[in-house]
Amino acid sequence: GENVEQHPSTLSVQEGDSAVIKCTYSDSASNYFPWYKQELGKRPQLIIDIRSNVGEKKDQRIAVTLNKTAKHFSLHITETQPEDSAVYFCAAGRRALTFGSGTRLQVQP
Amino acid sequence: EAGVAQSPRYKIIEKRQSVAFWCNPISGHATLYWYQQILGQGPKLLIQFQNNGVVDDSQLPKDRFSAERLKGVDSTLKIQPAKLEDSAVYLCASSPTGGGGAGELFFGEGSRLTVL
C-alpha cells in the first residue's frame, strides 16, 4: 500500500516569512495529492490539491509542487500570518488517501 | 449545503465494552470513509465504501471493528470489545467522486473515543 512521509514535524516561522513542508510517497500509481489544515479540535479542511498531470498549482499565498519522478510534493506558504498556525497534513492516493504524520506550523507575530 | 454529520461527539467507555458511531454523509456523495486519528498523528483509513459496497477494508481490525453502510447513505462503525489503544478521534468523510477514485474529502467533526 501507499506510504507517505512528511517533514518537518514542527515548524516555527516569523510572521511574513515563508514556510515549506515536504512529503514523499511510495506508490507510483497515486494520482491525487491534497493538503489539509487542521486547527486544534477541528476537522481537517482542504486548502489545496494537485493531480499527477500538473506540476504546480497556486492559490493566493499557497502553492503546491509535485515531482512525480522523485515521488515528492511540497506545500509553500508565503507571507505567513498568525492565523496560518495549525497542523498541516499531506496525503496521497489513487482511490483512498493515505495521510502523512502532520506538521505543526507556528507563526510568531 | 449540510456537511457530514457524526454522533456522538464524545464517548467514554471502559475497556472490553462496545461502542457505535454514526455518520450521515453529504447528500449525493457516493463514497464514504472512516478514518481513525490518534492524538498527534495523521488520519489512518479504516474502511472505504462506494455506495453500499466495501472498496477497501484492509486496515480495519476485523476481530473487533465492524462497519456497514445502510442503503448507500448512513454508516455505522462499531468497536467490540474496545481496547485502550482504540482511544482516538473517529472521522467520517465523504466524497462526491464516482468510480472510487480519490478526490476531495469532506470531514465530519469526528467522534472522540476515550477507553479507560
Side-chain angles (χ1 to χ4, degrees):
Chain A
E2 178 63 274
N3 182 49
V4 177
E5 296 194 357
Q6 182 172 347
H7 300 281
S9 57
T10 61
L11 181 59
S12 181
V13 299
Q14 291 295 125
E15 182 176 358
D17 286 351
S18 295
V20 180
I21 303 171
K22 299 182 178 182
C23 288
T24 59
Y25 63 99
S26 61
D27 188 352
S28 57
S30 289
N31 59 7
Y32 180 62
F33 308 90
W35 287 86
Y36 283 81
K37 176 182 181 181
Q38 187 174 32
E39 297 177 351
L40 191 62
K42 301 282 186 69
R43 74 187 84 186
Q45 293 198 301
L46 180 74
I47 55 171
I48 195 166
D49 57 8
I50 193 168
R51 293 205 177 263
S52 58
N53 58 346
V54 176
E56 184 174 356
K57 183 176 179 181
K58 188 174 181 180
D59 182 4
Q60 299 183 343
R61 297 185 297 109
I62 295 173
V64 57
T65 58
L66 171 65
N67 183 326
K68 285 191 297 182
T69 303
K71 296 202 193 77
H72 67 69
F73 57 114
S74 301
L75 176 71
H76 304 253
I77 306 174
T78 59
E79 301 172 21
T80 53
Q81 301 167 4
E83 51 265 38
D84 294 329
S85 296
V87 179
Y88 292 80
F89 293 99
C90 63
R94 183 175 61 88
R95 304 192 80 171
L97 291 175
T98 299
F99 284 78
S101 54
T103 296
R104 182 173 300 278
L105 174 64
Q106 189 166 10
V107 180
Q108 307 283 356
Chain B
E1 178 183 81
V4 176
Q6 288 189 246
S7 67
R9 289 293 314 280
Y10 305 92
K11 189 74 176 180
I12 301 173
I13 61 174
E14 301 279 338
K15 61 183 178 183
R16 291 187 289 274
Q17 288 186 323
S18 63
V19 63
F21 303 113
W22 172 83
C23 173
N24 180 243
I26 293 173
S27 177
H29 281 194
T31 310
L32 184 148
Y33 308 81
W34 284 101
Y35 280 86
Q36 179 194 57
Q37 187 173 26
I38 294 173
L39 186 65
Q41 298 182 18
K44 172 189 169 186
L45 178 69
L46 293 175
I47 190 167
Q48 176 188 2
F49 292 95
Q50 179 76 16
N51 297 309
N52 61 349
V54 175
V55 175
D56 184 354
D57 64 355
S58 57
Q59 298 186 84
L60 186 73
K62 298 181 185 64
D63 57 334
R64 298 183 301 106
F65 286 65
S66 65
E68 62 179 359
R69 189 175 185 194
L70 305 173
K71 299 180 181 178
V73 182
D74 292 6
S75 179
T76 56
L77 175 71
K78 297 179 181 178
I79 307 173
Q80 181 179 8
K83 292 185 175 181
L84 296 177
E85 58 260 37
D86 298 332
S87 294
V89 176
Y90 291 85
L91 293 164
C92 179
S94 68
S95 176
T97 55
E104 180 178 359
L105 301 185
F106 294 81
F107 285 94
E109 296 279 10
S111 293
R112 181 179 298 275
L113 174 65
T114 302
V115 182
L116 302 176

